[in-house]
Amino acid sequence: MTSSSSPSQDTKRLAHAYPEGLRADALMEEDVAWSHEIDGERDGDQLDRSERAALRRVVGLSTELEDVTEVEYRQLRLERVVLVGVWTTGTAQDADNSLAELAALAETAGALVLDGVIQRRDKPDAATYIGSGKAAELRDIVLETGADTVICDGELSPGQLIQLEDVVKVKVIDRTALILDIFAQHAKSREGKAQVALAQMQYMLPRLRGWGQSLSRQMGGGRGGLATRGPGETKIETDRRRIREKMAKMRREIADMKTGREVKRQERRRNKVPSVAIAGYTNAGKSSLLNRLTGAGVLVENALFATLDPTVRRAETPGGRLYTLADTVGFVRHLPHHLVEAFRSTMEEVGDSDLILHVVDGSHPNPEEQLAAVREVIRDVGATDVPEIVVINKADAADPLVLQRLLRVEKRSIAVSARTGQGIAELLARIDDELPRPAVEIVALVPYTHGKLVARAHAEGEVLSEEHTAEGTLLKVRVHEELAADLAPYTPVSA
């Protein structure tokens, strides 16, 4: 039997047999050499040095993210929704238009619309909104399309939401919740976020769900004792109390922010600067019109409720009169009353204005409905006495017959295109004619040393004529009472 030499003896033998530069290679060759007598008695698989030194994956230790490519290349999955409407009044075309608008709202919120159904009823079902039989059919549609959400074209009561969810087995939301979600996504300013949060809490308060008495608290403290045991305050009651506290805090914050905006508004009133408010249906082109008239650079996007925060910009009439132009939040049919209440302070810009530019989408299938919906909200905020000019926007894409019909029905209307500039000059001239004019007409010879009065006359009044003479600037202006009193000492005797 051949005896194996020790490692130290093998190393000495290699040192004599090989030159200095080849010893490492020889050691590696010996290390990977396989001997039946020695290696055959070892347990397990024998690996080469390169395999032993390499990294290898340990099977069974991976998480649910088995491959990093699933994370890197996985596309965002949109919420898949089915729309449901109840047709109670109007024509079938009106019901289809309402559901089409609901689809546009859902897409704006980031959902993928799979299907839409409408049911003809005298009034919505008190239990499931569409009735038990139609709810079962809706469940089949949800299973067939693979939807994970049902959106109803109306405001559902808490009981209807629960009953319909029990049948269709997926999440159910209504039109109000959808609009609130869009507002929450698009609100950018601090005041806009606070107003949306207040509206959401008002909507959420009666729709909280709890586990009943199983989550009740005892009335007493740590030790308990007599008259301390009992149902106490349930978890849902605690949630409602906290929401009411947050709502009260939000109302105080909105009131504080309203004070700052009121100060700016009073400053404009003090300077007698006329104000014009742009109101209209959502996606009618209000921000585009503001940009065209003032060059404001406000976000313009072909989406519903793209801009929520009011924007006030300074503008000038063709005659040189200064005025402010305010872009307000867009309106929609069946605008949730929670939003009307929460955004009431913002909508005051419409009520306090001297003129309303009511923008309507001329390319819409039914612009008359848009006009009626906006006027309903204007009536709610108490701005019915403010003069109104109906601005029919998107005239370049509208049907000429529709434009003729609107111009004939709406006596104080004008067709424009904010994209191409068509009709903008006529609109500016109409604004100049409609804005309130100063009440006092005066002629004054203002010395050159009092140039500030001339500047005020241009900024706050309407300059009818201006002539530079040797004694000073001869002005014929129409101004308010305060400025007329300041110009009175310089009235020529002949005047």
Side-chain angles (χ1 to χ4, degrees):
M1 184 176 69
T2 305
S3 61
S4 60
S5 59
S6 64
S8 61
Q9 292 175 346
D10 293 338
T11 303
K12 291 178 182 179
R13 185 173 68 249
L14 286 170
H16 293 289
Y18 293 93
E20 183 70 23
L22 300 178
R23 289 177 186 172
D25 296 337
L27 284 172
M28 182 169 290
E29 290 175 1
E30 185 183 73
D31 186 67
V32 300
W34 188 84
S35 172
H36 181 74
E37 291 84 359
I38 299 174
D39 298 322
E41 299 176 358
R42 295 177 181 173
D43 295 333
D45 296 333
Q46 306 305 308
L47 303 176
D48 291 341
R49 176 185 290 272
S50 59
E51 294 180 354
R52 282 182 283 157
L55 293 175
R56 60 192 181 90
R57 178 172 293 176
V58 180
V59 180
L61 295 183
S62 63
T63 63
E64 67 275 6
L65 300 178
E66 296 182 358
D67 193 345
V68 71
T69 57
E70 292 186 11
V71 183
E72 293 177 350
Y73 302 108
R74 182 174 52 198
Q75 294 182 350
L76 177 64
R77 182 178 181 274
L78 299 178
E79 199 164 352
R80 301 159 64 86
V81 302
V82 172
L83 310 180
V84 180
V86 173
W87 171 24
T88 56
T89 58
T91 63
Q93 184 63 38
D94 295 337
D96 292 343
N97 291 339
S98 181
L99 205 66
E101 183 178 87
L102 186 67
L105 289 169
E107 291 175 357
T108 302
L112 178 63
V113 179
L114 302 178
D115 202 352
V117 293
I118 298 177
Q119 185 196 13
R120 183 71 170 94
R121 295 180 64 94
D122 294 334
K123 61 179 181 179
D125 183 66
T128 60
Y129 182 68
I130 55 176
S132 57
K134 295 298 180 182
E137 293 181 17
L138 179 62
R139 170 60 180 166
D140 297 336
I141 295 176
V142 169
L143 289 174
E144 180 183 352
T145 58
D148 45 33
T149 304
V150 171
I151 304 178
C152 297
D153 191 16
E155 185 168 343
L156 273 62
S157 67
Q160 288 173 327
L161 282 172
I162 295 174
Q163 293 287 344
L164 194 56
E165 279 188 354
D166 289 342
V167 177
V168 299
K169 305 301 181 183
V170 295
K171 181 174 67 174
V172 177
I173 63 174
D174 56 12
R175 184 188 182 95
T176 301
L178 180 62
I179 295 176
L180 289 173
D181 182 77
I182 296 173
F183 271 57
Q185 293 181 43
H186 292 179
K188 302 300 180 187
S189 67
R190 178 168 170 259
E191 183 176 9
K193 292 179 180 178
Q195 289 169 330
V196 172
L198 176 60
Q200 285 180 321
M201 285 187 286
Q202 287 176 328
Y203 174 80
M204 187 193 313
L205 185 60
R207 291 169 175 81
L208 288 179
R209 303 182 190 181
W211 290 92
Q213 298 296 323
S214 60
L215 291 178
S216 64
R217 275 93 166 112
Q218 285 191 345
M219 291 186 291
R223 295 186 179 182
L226 295 176
T228 60
R229 289 171 285 271
E233 188 178 36
T234 61
K235 179 66 169 59
I236 192 170
E237 291 170 345
T238 305
D239 293 340
R240 286 173 178 163
R241 175 167 50 82
R242 289 176 177 172
I243 288 179
R244 291 191 186 98
E245 292 173 356
K246 289 183 179 179
M247 288 171 59
K249 181 181 178 182
M250 284 292 179
R251 288 192 179 98
R252 290 193 296 268
E253 291 180 358
I254 293 174
D256 294 339
M257 289 181 277
K258 176 185 176 182
T259 303
R261 191 173 54 255
E262 183 64 28
V263 169
K264 297 178 182 177
R265 195 178 296 136
Q266 289 178 356
E267 183 70 15
R268 295 198 295 267
R269 290 198 198 103
R270 188 179 67 82
N271 293 329
K272 306 298 181 181
V273 178
S275 61
V276 178
I278 301 178
Y281 213 77
T282 179
N283 205 30
K286 298 183 300 299
S287 298
S288 300
L289 184 63
L290 177 70
N291 292 341
R292 173 65 69 171
L293 294 176
T294 65
V298 178
L299 170 68
V300 174
E301 186 177 353
N302 186 20
L304 306 184
F305 302 112
T307 52
L308 296 181
D309 305 317
T311 304
V312 181
R313 290 293 183 269
R314 176 177 171 175
E316 188 174 330
T317 65
R321 299 174 60 199
L322 294 179
Y323 66 97
T324 59
L325 198 61
D327 181 18
T328 60
V329 63
F331 304 141
V332 73
R333 279 182 299 182
H334 312 301
L335 189 68
H337 65 277
H338 308 292
L339 281 176
V340 176
E341 290 299 323
F343 279 80
R344 183 171 293 275
S345 58
T346 301
M347 294 177 183
E348 287 175 357
E349 293 287 350
V350 178
D352 292 339
S353 62
D354 297 302
L355 179 65
I356 296 177
L357 297 184
H358 185 166
V359 184
V360 61
D361 184 359
S363 62
H364 191 269
N366 197 342
E368 286 85 0
E369 283 192 4
Q370 291 191 353
L371 288 168
V374 174
R375 282 169 176 159
E376 181 180 353
V377 180
I378 290 176
R379 185 169 57 252
D380 291 341
V381 298
T384 54
D385 297 333
V386 182
E388 174 192 69
I389 297 178
V390 176
V391 181
I392 308 170
N393 195 21
K394 305 181 184 179
D396 55 325
D399 186 352
L401 296 178
V402 175
L403 286 180
Q404 293 176 9
R405 186 179 73 235
L406 288 175
L407 291 172
R408 185 177 62 255
V409 173
E410 299 292 338
K411 303 303 180 183
R412 296 164 53 87
S413 60
I414 183 172
V416 304
S417 173
R419 186 176 66 87
T420 63
Q422 171 189 345
I424 296 298
E426 292 83 354
L427 176 60
L428 287 172
R430 184 77 65 87
I431 293 174
D432 196 2
D433 294 337
E434 294 287 343
L435 283 179
R437 299 183 178 276
V440 181
E441 184 175 323
I442 189 172
V443 177
L445 182 61
V446 183
Y448 290 119
T449 55
H450 293 74
K452 288 184 178 180
L453 286 177
V454 179
R456 285 183 59 191
H458 280 277
E460 302 175 17
E462 182 180 0
V463 178
L464 303 178
S465 66
E466 183 178 11
E467 181 182 354
H468 298 287
T469 66
E471 294 81 11
T473 304
L474 182 61
L475 291 175
K476 183 179 181 180
V477 294
R478 188 179 286 116
V479 294
H480 52 82
E481 291 81 358
E482 183 181 351
L483 183 54
D486 294 337
L487 290 173
Y490 306 103
T491 303
V493 177
S494 59

